[in-house]
Amino acid sequence: MLLLLYTIFFASLFIVSYNYAGYGILLYLLVAVKRLFNGKQPLVAPIEPTVSLVIAAYNEAGFIEQKILNTLELDYPVEKLEIIFVTDGSSDGTPEIISRYPQVKLLHQPGRHGKTAAINRAMKQVNSEIVVFCDANTLLNKEAIRNIVKHYADENTGGVAGEKKVIGKAGEAASTEGVYWKYESLLKRMDASLYTVVGAAGELFSVRTALYQPVEESVVLDDFVISLRVNMAGYRVAYAPDAYAMEAPSFSITEEHKRKVRICAGGFQAMGMLLPLLNIFRYPVVSFLYISHRVLRWTLSPLSLALLLLSNLLIVLNGGAVFYQLFLAAQLAAYAAAFAGYRQAKRERRSKWLFIPFYFVFMNISVYEGFIRFIGGKQSAAWEKARRAA
């Protein structure tokens, strides 16, 4: 019995440590070795292919005009940039606002079938070489399109992932949500340096139009599935940190919880649709990145956190050495800090040192809730969007 507990303890500790720290360290070393033996970098050059910017907007009347004006200010030849807004199902006047701007193309129908269906419908209208997707509640930097398309000078690049920036008051990164995305950006940069970004964020990403495959309308994480299917077609997804989409943080922790659970439910759905990517013999590098960066976070890591605490507790109750007692004390202190961070978040107060452990636990609990929602088939592609701060 004790041998089993020790095995579970160390196996869980390894998985959690690898997923949240070891993977980043290993990735850094692999990138360093690659640069040492192969100094050649993917080709990046200023080019101007035709581009379609596709924006799915559902009931965004409060923000859509700001989005349109931001889009019209993008630094790219007007004759080579087509702007398409899809507002299917919107009932708050969003289509009427967009129709005031003849420079953009409006696609609207009364029925709402979700973002994926809207994107598939828009893609039937696209004839440009490159398609860029971005969310309706974000603002792009002026050079975003140029900084994305220059990566397509490399014929092996099938997609490009932009950057997501969570902006708080006075233009500063918003608390821990912003810190989390900075960490994600670092991993994306290293993923891309080794070979490819693993799953682009829907706030801003791009693919070669010829590689786009219509996505099943039930898909929740369309961005994730679209970009990984580009990998499965034999192309890399480059990373463009100088092309970014800025958005406000979640309105409240309740709204952020709603968003996280939806993403986790969509993650389990996506893993089922992308089963071939688990075959490391078929996709050696992509599978390594995909499993290490994504799959573990949605499967073994949350399970390992629970098993680590439980096995540690049972080892201590069975006379475990001082190391296990101290480790248990550290775990309990971390969870106590997470609970204190939760209490603060509920009161809309955020201490960085308490909110970081809270957000970490919060993300992993969301995985469990997302799994339950996925198993119950309760996550629709047409979901109630989370509110964002002003």
Side-chain angles (χ1 to χ4, degrees):
M1 176 65 177
L2 275 177
L3 178 59
L4 177 61
L5 288 176
Y6 285 123
T7 302
I8 293 173
F9 175 85
F10 283 107
S12 300
L13 179 60
F14 172 78
I15 291 170
V16 172
S17 300
Y18 172 75
N19 193 204
Y20 291 103
Y23 170 60
I25 295 170
L26 177 59
L27 198 55
Y28 176 83
L29 294 174
L30 290 173
V31 169
V33 170
K34 178 184 176 183
R35 287 173 177 167
L36 183 65
F37 289 96
N38 182 12
K40 183 181 178 182
Q41 296 295 315
L43 181 62
V44 176
I47 57 174
E48 290 185 348
T50 54
V51 176
S52 290
L53 179 60
V54 175
I55 304 158
Y58 171 71
N59 283 351
E60 293 284 357
F63 189 79
I64 200 66
E65 194 151 23
Q66 191 176 354
K67 176 66 175 180
I68 295 169
L69 295 175
N70 170 255
T71 302
L72 293 176
E73 291 174 355
L74 292 172
D75 177 24
Y76 205 75
V78 175
E79 69 277 9
K80 291 189 175 183
L81 178 61
E82 176 186 40
I83 302 167
I84 302 174
F85 281 87
V86 196
T87 61
D88 294 352
S90 291
S91 56
D92 68 342
T94 298
E96 287 75 15
I97 296 172
I98 296 172
S99 65
R100 299 174 196 160
Y101 293 86
Q103 306 97 313
V104 304
K105 186 173 185 177
L106 171 64
L107 299 178
H108 177 75
Q109 62 182 20
R112 184 189 179 204
H113 301 285
K115 181 181 176 183
T116 303
I119 289 175
N120 283 337
R121 198 164 79 85
M123 287 302 296
K124 294 177 182 178
Q125 308 284 327
V126 171
N127 295 309
S128 305
E129 299 166 77
I130 306 297
V131 59
V132 178
F133 303 99
C134 74
D135 283 350
N137 63 348
T138 64
L139 297 177
L140 307 184
N141 62 311
K142 192 173 182 178
E143 305 80 13
I145 302 298
R146 287 194 181 277
N147 293 340
I148 283 175
V149 300
K150 64 186 180 183
H151 291 271
Y152 288 106
D154 178 9
E155 62 181 18
N156 295 315
T157 297
V160 181
E163 176 67 280
K164 169 184 174 178
K165 289 190 177 183
V166 182
I167 304 299
K169 294 179 180 178
E172 296 181 357
S175 189
T176 308
E177 195 177 345
V179 172
Y180 169 75
W181 278 105
K182 285 182 180 179
Y183 173 64
E184 271 298 295
S185 297
L186 176 62
L187 288 182
K188 280 184 181 180
R189 189 186 298 270
M190 291 193 291
D191 285 342
S193 295
L194 187 64
Y195 178 56
T196 182
V197 169
V198 186
E203 285 77 10
L204 180 61
F205 76 106
S206 166
V207 297
R208 291 187 189 273
T209 304
L211 295 178
Y212 180 84
Q213 302 175 36
V215 186
E216 297 83 345
E217 291 190 5
S218 61
V219 168
V220 176
L221 302 184
D222 53 276
D223 45 2
F224 191 76
V225 173
I226 291 169
S227 56
L228 279 167
R229 282 179 173 169
V230 168
N231 290 141
M232 293 171 71
Y235 294 82
R236 66 185 294 269
V237 175
Y239 179 46
D242 52 0
Y244 49 87
M246 298 167 282
E247 70 177 11
S250 297
F251 180 79
S252 66
I253 197 62
T254 301
E255 293 297 312
E256 177 67 359
H257 174 254
K258 180 196 302 183
R259 193 176 71 87
K260 284 291 183 191
V261 173
R262 171 187 175 266
I263 289 172
C264 292
F268 284 103
Q269 179 196 51
M271 285 188 289
M273 299 176 68
L274 300 168
L275 284 177
L277 282 178
L278 297 179
N279 184 350
I280 203 162
F281 299 103
R282 184 175 178 183
Y283 305 101
V285 181
V286 177
S287 293
F288 161 68
L289 296 171
Y290 172 61
I291 293 169
S292 297
H293 192 165
R294 300 296 183 182
V295 175
L296 287 180
R297 258 194 219 178
W298 285 330
T299 55
L300 293 183
S301 285
L303 178 61
S304 294
L305 279 171
L307 290 176
L308 185 62
L309 180 61
L310 180 60
S311 60
N312 195 176
L313 177 61
L314 292 175
I315 287 171
V316 170
L317 291 176
N318 281 276
V322 174
F323 165 78
Y324 299 100
Q325 296 172 23
L326 293 175
F327 199 91
L328 178 61
Q331 285 200 77
L332 293 176
Y335 284 112
F339 181 71
Y342 166 73
R343 294 291 298 272
Q344 283 194 343
K346 293 292 285 184
R347 297 195 297 268
E348 298 301 323
R349 294 173 54 199
R350 297 186 180 186
S351 163
K352 184 176 181 179
W353 299 110
L354 293 178
F355 203 78
I356 286 175
F358 159 66
Y359 201 76
F360 178 78
V361 174
F362 165 75
M363 288 192 301
N364 282 280
I365 290 175
S366 296
V367 173
Y368 283 95
E369 294 180 87
F371 180 69
I372 292 170
R373 183 176 293 187
F374 167 69
I375 292 297
K378 296 179 181 178
Q379 181 60 63
S380 168
W383 66 296
E384 181 187 351
K385 66 180 182 179
R387 292 174 63 194
R388 289 280 173 182

